[in-house]
Amino acid sequence: MKDKLKDFVQDHRDEFDSFAPRPDLWQDIAAELQQENSKPMLAVAPEPAQAKVFSLNWNTAFRYAAAVAVLVMVAFTARYFISNSADQTGSVAATQPVTLDKIAPELRQIETQYVQVIQEKKSELRALGVGDIQFADLDSAYNELKKELYTTPNKEVLLQAMSDNLKMRIALLNQQLEVLENRSKEQTRVRHETTNI
C-alpha cells in the first residue's frame, strides 16, 4: 500500500506544487496579529440566558398525571393498611386481655401458698404489738416480675424469682418474730431476776 501511495504522490507532484501559498502571506498574517494585540480589549458582556422552551403535548401531560395519580393512590393505600393493621392488633389486645392464669397457671398456686404464710406471720406480729409491715422494695420488684411474665419466653425463671421474693418476705417476717420473741424473753427474764433479788 505504501508503494501505491508513494507512486501516486510522485506521479502527481506537479499538481500538488501548483497550490503553493503566495510568498507574502506570512507577512500579512503577522501584521494582522500585531494590530489585534495593539487594540484595547473590551469586556464583552455575556449574552442574557434565554429561557429554555419545554414543549409538552397532551400525551406526555397525561402520562405524567397518571404517574402522579398512581403514586398518590399507592401512598394512601399503604397508609390505610398500616393504620388498619395497627388498629386491629391494638383492638384485639384491648378487647381480649390475656390473664396471668392463662400465661402462668402455676403463679396462682405459688401466690396462695406463700401469701397465706405471710398473712399468718403478719398477724402474729400484730399480736405482739407491731403494726402492719410493708415491703415496698419487694412489692415493686414482684410487680415488675409480674409485668415481665406477659412478654418473656422464659417463664420458669421468672416464676422462680417470684417465689424467691415471697420466700424472702417470709424470712424477714420470721427474723422479726425471732427478735421480738427474744426481746420478750429477755424482758421476762429481767423481771424474774429483779423480783428474785
Side-chain angles (χ1 to χ4, degrees), residues 37-103:
N37 287 339
S38 64
K39 288 182 184 177
M41 291 265 198
L42 296 175
V44 179
E47 293 182 21
Q50 294 181 355
K52 292 184 179 181
V53 177
F54 181 67
S55 64
L56 185 68
N57 60 17
W58 287 107
N59 285 338
T60 56
F62 282 127
R63 285 181 188 167
Y64 289 132
V68 168
V70 167
L71 288 175
V72 168
M73 286 180 10
V74 167
F76 278 116
T77 304
R79 185 175 178 193
Y80 172 76
F81 281 118
I82 289 171
S83 67
N84 200 13
S85 66
D87 289 344
Q88 287 177 352
T89 57
S91 65
V92 169
T95 57
Q96 299 173 353
V98 179
T99 61
L100 280 176
D101 291 337
K102 290 181 182 177
I103 294 173

Side-chain angles (χ1 to χ4, degrees), residues 123-166:
S123 63
E124 287 179 29
L125 284 171
R126 276 190 227 114
L128 292 173
V130 177
D132 196 25
I133 297 173
Q134 299 295 323
F135 300 105
D137 291 338
L138 291 174
D139 286 340
S140 65
Y142 189 80
N143 290 332
E144 287 297 319
L145 290 171
K146 247 185 186 179
K147 287 178 188 176
E148 286 182 34
L149 270 176
Y150 287 104
T151 58
T152 188
N154 196 359
K155 296 183 185 348
E156 291 80 23
V157 173
L158 282 179
L159 289 173
Q160 183 61 42
M162 293 171 83
S163 176
D164 291 344
N165 184 304
L166 294 172

